[in-house]
Amino acid sequence: MHSELCNRCGSCVGLSEGKIIFDDREGRYLPRMVAEIDDKTADRLWNACSGKDFSFPEYNAHFYSEASHFHEYTGSYENIYIGHANDEAVRRNSASGGIISAILIYLLEKGRIDGVVTLRMSHEKPWLSEPFIATTRAEIMEAAQSKYTISSVNEILPECEKFDGTLAYVGIPPQVQSIRKLQKINDPSVKNIKYLFGPFYGNTLYFSSVKSFLKTYGEKDFTKITKLYFRYGEWPGNMRIEMKSGRVIELKKFHANYLIPFHVLKNSLYCTDFTNEFTDISGGDAWAPVYEDRGKGFSMIFTRTKAGQEIIDEMLKEDLLSAEVITEEEAIKMHSHGYDFKKRGSFIRIKFRKLTGKSIPDYGYKIGGFGASRYFMEMIISTMFVLMSTGLARRTVEQFPPGFIGKLFEKARTAWKNSTKKIKRDKLGS
Ligand SMILES: Cc1cc2nc3c(=O)[nH]c(=O)nc-3n(C[C@H](O)[C@H](O)[C@H](O)COP(=O)(O)OP(=O)(O)OC[C@H]3O[C@@H](n4cnc5c(N)ncnc54)[C@H](O)[C@@H]3O)c2cc1C
């Protein structure tokens, strides 16, 4: 639990009957044992932990044996689409095209589920996220949008078990993987979960990112936050913080990305699941100039199970969604940077970690055979992550206006992406 492999999914906290807690959510956010745990519970928690191991081949064979397509970058799927929710209120309120929110509202209003396990910003501590069970359209809308700081959705498992009815569940890949581990052994905590949905997942950040962001604007007390958004307004949106004083701080999402190398959660660097491969339907941003220029949100959608495909087919028929099928090659090309980071970079970073003698996650598969240039590129990236996460680097960046740093970061990132395009796209999708 005190390893860098902990992904903070929250399962051990949720299933421990109060014996494991998160008491440092604004800090390292690690689970802490506060009472002795019996062997039976320990076994249950150990099994549910997706940070140390999650066999992709085993869970693919178990849950997706009938899938029409498989690629080691995307996982199993039926179809891939680019699209958006047709309900403008839902689309505008969401992170990308509002697909996830629209699906949840559809299932709830059709009576196919009774509640949704999802994540909102806390009412008591509006700077932190909290999982809850949404049972109305308004609550699903409240939970929309991406939260880029650590979330621990599976803390809510005891509530899921007690819930009177069927549930849809939304989570990022490490959380979904833990749910799949529990489903495979018919653990009672997940018996009410009927559908799994989730966003793509590049990385997540420590809460220090919010503290540091505030400091650059001269605000030292994060407890004065009344609202925190990561994707506010027109797609792709802004990071926006509202303070008790009435002050509003806002920075373009692409510029706020400068926080990533300074505050990234170590575990996200070892996670190899970019597109939430173990869901029924997963969604990400449709990053391409043709969509980005249009302002309103567009999503990329993977249907992965027959149940997921049926939902999309019905919603298309009822004109609740607009979506066009795209090819696997187009999908991989659109997110070549993300696939490279997760399906190549993560494996190389795991290799580097192994060389230092530290424990490594076991995903039951490996992707390898990259050229020397890709290893060299990873050495630069990994060194950057180490140097930029130091206190000195964080304090230094806080001396500059975030607008300036953000612009600089965006320019440097674009230049870096362009200069490494060949290395990254080499054999992608083949
Ligand atoms: C941490 C993180 C990293 C991401 N990285 C990428 C990326 O690199 N590339 C990319 O294309 N897309 C990425 N996404 C996905 C993207 O930001 C959108 O979430 C996705 O396109 C779905 O959009 P939507 O409009 O359909 O979702 P919405 O309708 O806005 O619904 C989003 C749902 O996800 C839930 N949710 C949001 N944040 C979290 C969280 N941290 N933990 C658990 N549940 C959460 C919400 O509660 C809501 O139910 C990331 C998302 C997150 C949360």
Side-chain angles (χ1 to χ4, degrees):
M1 286 187 300
H2 289 95
S3 145
E4 281 162 352
L5 302 188
C6 173
N7 55 38
R8 281 68 163 182
C9 71
S11 292
C12 64
V13 172
L15 299 176
S16 71
E17 295 168 356
K19 292 174 180 157
I20 302 178
I21 59 168
F22 286 122
D23 58 355
D24 183 26
R25 294 175 197 259
E26 290 100 354
R28 294 198 67 212
Y29 207 128
L30 276 167
R32 191 166 69 84
M33 210 164 106
V34 290
E36 274 305 304
I37 290 178
D38 61 80
D39 286 353
K40 202 169 152 219
T41 310
D43 283 347
R44 188 179 183 207
L45 306 189
W46 191 240
N47 166 67
C49 175
S50 57
K52 61 175 182 16
D53 68 84
F54 179 81
S55 170
F56 280 55
E58 184 186 329
Y59 285 87
N60 243 310
H62 189 82
F63 289 101
Y64 300 90
S65 59
E66 290 175 17
S68 307
H69 309 279
F70 174 81
H71 188 288
E72 61 183 3
Y73 284 179
T74 63
S76 299
Y77 69 92
E78 293 300 316
N79 281 298
I80 315 172
Y81 303 86
I82 300 287
H84 58 80
N86 285 346
D87 182 332
E88 275 302 304
V90 171
R91 186 180 182 189
R92 289 196 170 267
N93 180 61
S94 298
S96 309
I99 300 284
I100 296 182
S101 294
I103 292 169
L104 300 172
I105 292 169
Y106 174 76
L107 292 175
L108 195 65
E109 291 182 346
K110 286 273 172 193
R112 303 251 286 272
I113 53 169
D114 303 293
V116 181
V117 177
T118 183
L119 190 76
R120 68 181 168 204
M121 297 314 287
S122 156
H123 295 170
E124 287 75 41
K125 295 184 175 179
W127 52 92
L128 292 176
S129 61
E130 67 178 13
F132 75 115
I133 297 180
T135 53
T136 62
R137 173 188 162 102
E139 285 179 336
I140 290 170
M141 298 276 277
E142 184 195 352
Q145 295 211 356
S146 304
K147 287 93 184 166
Y148 291 128
T149 46
I150 298 174
S151 68
S152 47
V153 173
N154 296 356
E155 277 179 84
I156 203 173
L157 285 173
E159 256 184 75
C160 298
E161 185 171 348
K162 280 189 229 131
F163 187 76
D164 184 15
T166 51
L167 291 166
Y169 170 100
V170 186
I172 53 174
Q175 297 158 358
V176 168
Q177 289 168 11
S178 180
I179 298 295
R180 285 300 194 198
K181 290 184 98 175
L182 291 162
Q183 283 181 332
K184 188 158 179 261
I185 56 158
N186 295 319
D187 191 280
S189 61
V190 293
K191 69 178 192 305
N192 293 323
I193 297 176
K194 189 171 172 191
Y195 300 105
L196 294 182
F197 305 113
F200 290 8
Y201 177 57
N203 55 64
T204 197
L205 305 183
Y206 287 105
F207 186 71
S208 59
S209 56
V210 175
K211 288 198 257 187
S212 174
F213 182 73
L214 278 183
K215 266 192 208 158
T216 56
Y217 287 92
E219 295 282 352
K220 296 208 166 59
D221 186 357
F222 65 82
T223 65
K224 299 273 174 355
I225 294 176
T226 55
K227 289 260 182 215
L228 167 58
Y229 305 88
F230 295 91
R231 301 281 295 260
Y232 186 85
E234 191 100 308
W235 188 67
N238 297 338
M239 179 160 173
R240 176 182 163 110
I241 299 184
E242 296 173 14
M243 305 295 291
K244 260 187 198 144
S245 62
R247 186 178 183 195
V248 175
I249 301 168
E250 210 163 320
L251 186 68
K252 278 163 85 177
K253 180 214 174 324
F254 284 142
H255 291 174
N257 278 348
Y258 85 85
L259 293 163
I260 297 172
F262 296 94
H263 303 277
V264 68
L265 173 70
K266 272 269 162 51
N267 176 269
S268 28
L269 303 177
Y270 303 122
C271 166
T272 68
D273 185 343
F274 174 54
T275 55
N276 226 328
E277 296 173 35
F278 294 90
T279 48
D280 289 293
I281 301 174
S282 66
D285 285 288
W287 297 131
V290 56
Y291 301 114
E292 285 165 37
D293 289 349
R294 290 191 219 164
K296 292 175 180 178
F298 284 86
S299 296
M300 181 180 290
I301 314 151
F302 276 84
T303 53
R304 300 188 177 278
T305 56
K306 307 287 178 211
Q309 185 61 50
E310 265 170 39
I311 295 170
I312 296 293
D313 288 343
E314 286 167 23
M315 290 181 73
L316 285 171
K317 219 168 164 188
E318 293 190 32
D319 205 24
L320 297 170
L321 296 181
S322 298
E324 277 173 28
V325 172
I326 60 163
T327 65
E328 183 180 278
E329 202 185 348
E330 286 169 316
I332 292 178
K333 213 165 163 192
M334 186 177 286
H335 281 108
S336 63
H337 183 66
Y339 288 109
D340 177 74
F341 190 71
K342 291 291 199 185
K343 293 291 183 183
R344 291 174 172 178
S346 290
F347 284 107
I348 300 176
R349 288 187 288 273
I350 290 171
K351 245 187 193 172
F352 288 168
R353 187 177 163 85
K354 195 174 176 194
L355 287 176
T356 66
K358 292 183 180 166
S359 54
I360 54 166
D362 179 4
Y363 297 128
Y365 80 121
K366 279 187 189 130
I367 302 180
F370 322 121
S373 52
R374 184 61 188 82
Y375 279 91
F376 181 65
M377 179 177 135
E378 197 52 52
M379 276 163 75
I380 298 176
I381 295 176
S382 293
T383 310
M384 250 176 48
F385 279 131
V386 171
L387 294 179
M388 290 171 102
S389 64
T390 59
L392 180 66
R394 288 178 179 182
R395 280 193 298 279
T396 307
V397 79
E398 282 161 16
Q399 308 309 312
F400 296 92
F404 166 73
I405 293 291
K407 263 189 219 147
L408 201 72
F409 180 81
E410 194 183 10
K411 283 212 160 66
R413 198 160 184 248
T414 310
W416 171 261
K417 270 179 161 179
N418 289 340
S419 69
T420 55
K421 222 174 231 169
K422 195 172 169 305
I423 306 172
K424 287 187 300 191
R425 290 216 174 145
D426 186 29
K427 290 198 204 124
L428 268 173
S430 61

